[in-house]
């Protein structure tokens, strides 16, 4: 082992002084507090999904006397969750791809080219973040009605791709702005064309930004409910968020089956985030979002 | 190797993307005939075309009416096979359902059949010319006589009928007799003064006397307020408008009720309130008959059998014995150009208001309906008692939300929260509601 490595190891060795011990205890209290704060709702959800409704009402924080696995069976069979999950997967996947493709192209134009009205166009896109989506139900319904896409999953794919553009462009543009112009100029001198620069140079270099925007977009598509309910009618076109609400109604709710459906529904979101978390964290710390 | 892997990933991504793009498109095409705007299926069934009606329906999923109502729709489709067909679109989230209905009506694509809970909304939709005029349908005495006396008159707008009253909400005050007796309360309170005495005794035994909430639509507290308004203002209090002093007086009563409720009442939703009453942590509760089934199945052992029911309380010796009774769901129909479709809608309305079907629906769901049935045909004794008490009540009155425009109902929970936190006075509470009404 080299001397340098040994020195590094030495520098990380804990020195037992009263001050260090106190600081260390405080550090771990904070870490455990935030870990519990973050994980507790998730653990509670899983535990509650295995209880009976009577147990839930008697004590929301108790453990189930006997785990009620049939809550998960109920969720699948009564609400037809399998079909709904497939619909949500196709909607979220296509909505995300479309969104990232369009957002990256728009961001490239706004970030790398100087033309009049550039910032106005970007501001117009970004303004979309401020508009509450529920306020746009009538115009969106009218648009999809006119083009004959009511009760069709394509309406959701197009809509989700569109409504996610402001945040995606905001993230991706930040990455593109940070990318030195000189490198692109060098590529032009070497004879690299417009498409070559975009696909072979820019996109690979802003990969973290694309993955960050894509992950947010996927989660948005997966969790969206209002428009999924508005734009689809047929049972075979319903998405998972509608399935979760299958167990609620005007006055009564089968809470435990609903929680079982929620547990099933959050698995893809967690998986997607787990797979791409490294890129998302890089994206959040290196891109525009850092402010 | 690396290059070929990239190509493989690109190929797989393309295939998945393509499959994703087209998944659902095919199924939509087949559905198109079922949910087209004119509602007429293109499938030829011999000589006649089958008329399909769209019905976004809230009585699905885990709703207590879902099973029997679903069977009624299936039976209708079987009886009118080849002629009419009702296609149910399942709507389980009530807020989202209301948003959807408002959007469809705003865009001129009202469903063929749908339910509305607020009479004010019906007035609005009717004024906009979006609803089918059902006046001639109800002129037929064979139909009109099916309904509870007076309910059709209350539904008329300028002498015309734009909706059919269907589900009725009759709401008693429910007492846990076991807890009351343990606290030394031997008689049910008849006035608010007696209620406060009972509450003091109950509090001494360590239970929360009353079940209150401010979360969501503040449902149970809104019902308590309705009873307080009835006691302070009498049967015609809503006709006098929110300017009547009874509403302020009732707000004072409601504020006092929160001194006798659980510490988590602020922000609490129906789950919390039900949880307290179902588990004997609270003793007095108010809700509709539909909750009886859940009290039986989810309440602690013996709770259902120890329930005692009563109507409203008096205030200063006046206006006691009121009963909250209001139409909870009206069935409306989108305006039709095709007379054949109007006939189809009317045939469906006629079918679902047949007395034997309503009795079956009542007994299976715990709900009550605007169609008149003999209380002896109701198998659930508590439900039958509620019907009887309501029929014998000094007067019946709508609950506050049913009597007020939707905007007032929406403003109620946050105004109540401010009232309970003493951020506003009872007078200011009512002024907030008045502003919402404007």
């Amino acid at each position: 082992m080299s001397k340098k490595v040994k020195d590094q190891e030495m520098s990380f060795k804990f020195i037992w002084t009263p001050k260090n011990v106190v600081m260390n205890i405080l550090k771990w209290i904070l870490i455990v507090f935030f870990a519990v704060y973050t994980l507790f709702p998730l653990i509670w959800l899983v535990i509650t999904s295995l209880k009976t409704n009577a147990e839930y009402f008697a004590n929301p924080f108790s453990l189930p006397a006997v785990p009620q696995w049939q809550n998960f069976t109920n969720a699948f069979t009564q609400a037809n969750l399998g079909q709904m999950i497939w619909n949500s997967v196709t909607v979220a996947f296509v909505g995300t791809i479309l969104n990232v493709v369009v957002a990256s192209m728009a961001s490239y134009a706004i970030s790398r080219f100087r033309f009049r009205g550039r910032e106005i166009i970007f501001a117009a896109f970004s303004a979309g973040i401020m508009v509450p989506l529920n306020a746009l139900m009538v115009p969106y319904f009218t648009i999809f009605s006119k083009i004959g896409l009511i009760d069709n999953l394509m309406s959701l794919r197009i809509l989700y791709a569109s409504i996610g553009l402001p945040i995606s462009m905001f993230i991706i543009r930040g990455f593109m702005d940070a990318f030195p112009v000189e490198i692109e100029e060098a590529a032009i001198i070497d004879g690299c064309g417009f498409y070559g620069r975009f696909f072979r140079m820019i996109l690979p270099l802003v990969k973290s930004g694309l993955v960050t925007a894509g992950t947010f977009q996927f989660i948005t598509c997966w969790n969206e409910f209002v428009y999924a309910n508005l734009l689809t009618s047929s049972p075979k076109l319903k998405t998972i968020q509608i399935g979760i609400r299958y167990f609620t109604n005007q006055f009564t709710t089968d809470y435990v089956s609903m929680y079982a459906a929620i547990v099933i529904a959050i698995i893809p979101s967690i998986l997607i985030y787990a797979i791409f978390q490294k890129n998302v964290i890089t994206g959040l710390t290196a891109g525009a979002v850092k402010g | 190797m690396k290059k070929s892997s990239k190509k493989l990933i690109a190929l797989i991504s393309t295939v998945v993307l393509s499959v994703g793009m087209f998944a659902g498109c095919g199924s939509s095409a087949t559905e198109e005939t079922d949910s087209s705007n004119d509602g007429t299926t293109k499938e030829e069934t011999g000589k006649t075309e089958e008329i399909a009606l769209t019905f976004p329906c809230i009585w699905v999923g885990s709703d207590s009416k879902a099973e029997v109502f679903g069977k009624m729709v299936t039976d209708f489709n079987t009886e009118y096979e080849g002629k009419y067909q009702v296609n149910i679109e399942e709507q389980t989230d009530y807020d989202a359902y209301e948003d959807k209905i408002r959007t469809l009506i705003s865009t001129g694509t009202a469903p063929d059949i749908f339910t509305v809970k607020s009479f004010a909304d019906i007035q609005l939709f009717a004024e906009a010319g979006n609803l089918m005029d059902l006046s001639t349908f109800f002129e037929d005495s064979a139909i009109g006589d099916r309904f509870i006396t007076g309910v059709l008159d209350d539904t008329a707008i300028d002498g015309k009928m734009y909706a059919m009253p269907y589900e009725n909400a009759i709401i008693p005050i429910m007492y846990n007799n076991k807890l009351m007796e343990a606290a030394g309360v031997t008689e049910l309170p008849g006035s608010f003064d007696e209620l406060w005495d009972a509450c003091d005794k109950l509090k001494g035994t360590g239970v929360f006397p009353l079940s209150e909430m401010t979360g969501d639509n503040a449902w149970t507290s809104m019902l308590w307020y309705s009873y307080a308004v009835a006691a302070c203002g009498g049967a015609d209090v809503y006709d006098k408008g929110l300017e009547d002093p009874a509403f302020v007086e009732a707000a004072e009563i409601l504020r006092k009720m929160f001194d006798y409720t659980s510490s988590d009442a602020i922000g609490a939703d129906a789950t919390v309130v039900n949880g307290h009453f179902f588990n004997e942590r609270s003793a007095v509760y108010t809700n509709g008959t539909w909750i009886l089934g859940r009290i039986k199945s989810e309440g602690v052992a013996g709770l259902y059998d120890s329930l005692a029911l009563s109507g409203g309380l008096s205030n200063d010796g006046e206006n006691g014995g009121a009963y909250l009774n209001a139409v909870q769901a009206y069935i409306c129909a989108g305006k039709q150009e095709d007379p054949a479709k109007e006939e189809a809608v009317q045939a469906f309305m006629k079918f679902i208001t047949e007395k034997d079907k309503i009795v079956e629906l009542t007994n299976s769901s715990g709900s009550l309906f605007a169609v008149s049935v003999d209380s002896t045909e109701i198998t659930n004794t508590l439900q039958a008692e509620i019907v009887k008490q309501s029929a014998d009540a000094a007067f019946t009155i709508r609950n506050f939300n049913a009597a007020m425009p939707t905007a007032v109902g929406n403003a109620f929970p946050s105004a109540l929260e401010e009232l309970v936190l003493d951020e506003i006075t009872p007078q200011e509470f009512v002024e907030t509601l008045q502003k919402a009404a404007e």
Side-chain angles (χ1 to χ4, degrees):
Chain A
M1 197 178 284
S2 69
K3 188 176 178 295
K4 196 179 173 185
V5 173
K6 268 186 180 173
D7 287 347
Q8 273 182 347
E9 277 189 358
M10 289 288 286
S11 68
F12 290 121
K13 201 173 175 185
F14 187 77
I15 299 161
W16 291 88
T17 63
K19 188 187 168 191
N20 280 357
V21 170
V22 170
M23 291 305 287
N24 213 34
I25 289 170
L26 281 177
K27 181 184 81 179
W28 278 105
I29 287 173
L30 265 179
I31 290 170
V32 170
F33 172 77
F34 281 107
V36 170
Y37 188 78
T38 311
L39 290 176
F40 178 73
L42 209 59
I43 294 165
W44 178 86
L45 184 69
V46 174
I47 292 171
T48 308
S49 70
L50 293 168
K51 292 162 76 166
T52 62
N53 274 312
E55 284 174 328
Y56 170 65
F57 279 116
N59 184 354
F61 300 105
S62 66
L63 290 171
V66 179
Q68 305 292 318
W69 297 106
Q70 72 270 22
N71 292 342
F72 286 86
T73 319
N74 284 350
F76 256 99
T77 52
Q78 287 180 23
N80 192 19
L81 281 194
Q83 175 70 50
M84 291 172 173
I85 288 172
W86 170 245
N87 290 341
S88 284
V89 166
T90 67
V91 165
F93 192 80
V94 177
T96 302
I97 299 283
L98 274 179
N99 172 274
V100 173
V101 167
V102 174
S104 58
M105 290 192 292
S107 301
Y108 181 55
I110 288 171
S111 171
R112 316 302 290 184
F113 296 91
R114 300 285 174 269
F115 55 90
R116 190 173 291 176
R118 188 173 70 113
E119 289 304 328
I120 293 172
I121 292 172
F122 183 69
F125 269 107
S126 303
I129 298 173
M130 318 294 175
V131 181
L133 281 176
N134 285 21
L136 303 174
M137 288 171 79
V138 170
Y140 277 134
F141 185 88
T142 307
I143 291 168
F144 288 112
S145 181
K146 296 278 182 206
I147 58 177
L149 285 181
I150 293 296
D151 204 20
N152 189 317
L153 290 179
M154 275 312 292
S155 59
L156 295 184
R157 293 171 189 138
I158 295 168
L159 179 77
Y160 294 165
S162 315
I163 61 179
L165 276 179
I167 190 78
S168 296
M169 279 182 64
F170 194 70
I171 293 169
I172 297 170
R173 188 199 168 172
F175 277 83
M176 289 187 177
D177 283 347
F179 177 66
V181 184
E182 289 75 14
I183 297 175
E184 208 178 343
E185 286 171 352
I188 294 168
I189 292 165
D190 288 345
C192 189
F194 176 81
Y195 293 106
R197 293 201 306 279
F198 180 67
F199 286 109
R200 289 160 59 194
M201 211 175 118
I202 301 287
L203 288 189
L205 284 168
V206 297
K207 195 178 76 180
S208 288
L210 299 181
V211 172
T212 306
T215 306
F216 282 140
Q217 174 65 16
F218 184 90
I219 292 169
T220 303
C221 294
W222 190 264
N223 291 334
E224 205 286 327
F225 167 71
V226 172
Y227 283 95
N229 190 55
L230 177 69
L231 298 175
T232 62
S233 307
S234 310
K236 64 174 81 166
L237 299 180
K238 298 289 183 189
T239 59
I240 183 73
Q241 295 303 323
I242 297 173
I244 289 171
R245 286 156 178 88
Y246 190 83
F247 301 97
T248 69
N249 57 61
Q250 197 178 356
F251 295 111
T252 55
T253 301
D254 178 358
Y255 289 97
V256 292
S257 297
M258 184 179 76
Y259 290 139
I262 291 172
V263 169
I264 294 166
I266 59 175
I267 290 171
S269 294
I270 291 173
L271 277 179
I272 290 286
Y273 187 77
I275 292 167
F276 295 113
Q277 66 163 324
K278 202 174 162 189
N279 282 301
V280 171
I281 291 164
T282 312
L284 288 176
T285 51
V289 187
K290 75 177 179 182
Chain B
M1 181 64 189
K2 205 177 171 186
K3 209 170 182 181
S4 63
S5 301
K6 279 185 176 175
K7 278 185 179 174
L8 186 66
I9 290 167
L11 182 68
I12 291 169
S13 300
T14 310
V15 170
V16 173
L17 184 61
S18 308
V19 169
M21 285 284 280
F22 293 107
C25 294
S27 54
S28 162
T30 55
E31 291 295 324
E32 211 171 24
T33 52
D34 292 336
S35 56
S36 59
N37 281 344
D38 66 7
T40 310
T41 57
K42 307 299 178 205
E43 292 165 20
E44 289 291 327
T45 53
K47 291 173 186 172
T48 55
E49 260 186 2
E50 190 175 67
I51 293 172
L53 302 173
T54 55
F55 183 7
C57 183
I58 52 170
W59 299 319
V60 293
S62 59
D63 189 281
S64 59
K65 293 174 285 299
E67 192 182 342
V68 172
F69 193 79
K71 187 173 157 284
M72 277 163 65
V73 174
T74 307
D75 290 347
F76 175 83
N77 289 341
T78 308
E79 190 169 321
Y80 289 92
E81 195 176 356
K83 193 176 179 189
Y84 306 138
Q85 178 165 13
V86 171
N87 295 316
I88 291 282
E89 181 197 325
E90 295 186 333
Q91 290 288 321
T92 51
D93 185 298
Y94 196 80
D95 291 337
Y97 166 76
E98 284 194 311
D99 283 343
K100 181 164 185 165
I101 293 298
R102 287 188 195 119
T103 306
L104 293 175
I105 286 177
S106 307
T107 53
T109 51
D112 297 321
I113 304 166
F114 56 102
T115 58
V116 178
K117 74 174 175 190
S118 158
F119 187 65
D121 280 349
I122 295 171
Q123 287 174 306
L124 196 70
F125 300 156
E127 276 172 28
N130 293 306
L131 300 182
M132 186 198 291
D133 184 354
L134 298 161
S135 304
T136 51
F137 173 65
F138 286 106
E139 277 167 16
D140 178 358
S141 62
I143 302 296
D145 290 350
R146 289 181 179 182
F147 292 85
I148 292 168
T149 312
V151 73
L152 291 182
D153 294 335
D154 291 343
T155 309
I157 299 169
D158 297 332
K160 288 187 174 180
M161 294 293 291
Y162 292 100
M164 178 174 81
Y166 198 62
E167 188 182 357
N168 232 15
I170 302 182
I171 293 159
I173 297 175
M174 302 182 191
Y175 299 88
N176 182 330
N177 238 346
K178 195 170 77 181
L179 296 180
M180 299 279 280
E181 281 171 10
V185 183
T186 49
E187 272 187 33
L188 296 186
S191 67
F192 276 103
D193 286 336
E194 288 173 13
L195 179 71
W196 306 139
D197 288 342
C199 286
D200 286 329
K201 288 176 183 169
L202 284 161
K203 215 173 174 179
T205 62
V207 297
F208 311 124
L210 305 172
S211 309
E212 300 287 350
M213 61 187 274
T214 66
D216 291 344
N217 57 1
W219 176 253
T220 56
S221 294
M222 183 279 294
L223 296 175
W224 279 120
Y225 186 59
S226 309
Y227 267 121
V229 165
C232 298
D236 59 348
V237 65
Y238 293 122
D239 299 334
K240 299 172 196 164
L242 283 168
E243 289 71 28
D244 192 88
F247 289 94
V248 178
E249 221 177 318
E252 285 165 6
I253 291 174
L254 185 61
R255 173 64 191 86
K256 189 168 180 179
M257 285 184 157
F258 275 81
D259 293 336
Y260 293 107
T261 192
S262 55
S263 55
D264 56 4
I266 296 174
D269 62 6
T271 319
V272 177
V273 170
N274 292 343
H276 288 326
F277 190 72
F278 289 8
N279 291 283
E280 298 192 328
R281 293 192 289 264
S282 66
V284 191
Y285 171 79
T286 178
N287 209 340
T289 50
W290 54 82
I291 207 73
L292 292 172
R294 286 187 59 201
I295 292 176
K296 199 171 191 175
S297 63
E298 293 166 26
V300 294
L303 172 64
Y304 184 83
D305 296 323
S306 64
L307 283 183
L309 308 164
S310 86
L313 310 167
S314 65
N315 184 46
D316 296 335
E318 288 183 359
N319 302 319
Y323 233 95
L324 296 186
N325 190 336
V327 175
Q328 185 67 39
Y330 297 87
I331 296 189
C332 299
K335 193 171 186 178
Q336 304 291 346
E337 301 299 328
D338 181 2
K341 267 190 109 175
E342 287 191 358
E343 280 175 26
V345 169
Q346 290 174 6
F348 181 70
M349 287 182 166
K350 195 173 176 182
F351 190 86
I352 61 170
T353 51
E354 286 172 13
K355 202 165 278 186
D356 56 332
K357 292 186 175 67
I358 293 294
V359 169
E360 189 185 357
L361 198 53
T362 301
N363 287 330
S364 65
S365 66
S367 298
L368 293 167
F369 295 86
V371 173
S372 177
V373 294
D374 189 341
S375 62
T376 57
E377 290 182 279
I378 300 173
T379 51
N380 182 309
T381 48
L382 285 181
Q383 206 180 349
E385 190 184 333
I386 291 167
V387 173
K388 193 173 177 309
Q389 282 188 4
S390 171
D392 298 341
F395 62 95
T396 61
I397 187 166
R398 283 176 287 171
N399 65 61
F400 184 75
N401 273 7
M404 290 289 149
T406 308
V408 177
N410 292 343
F412 185 86
S414 57
L416 175 61
E417 211 158 274
E418 288 180 297
L419 175 72
V420 175
L421 291 169
D422 293 324
E423 289 171 3
I424 57 173
T425 62
Q427 177 67 43
E428 288 166 335
F429 169 78
V430 175
E431 283 168 8
T432 307
L433 300 178
Q434 286 169 349
K435 276 180 199 157
E438 289 163 8

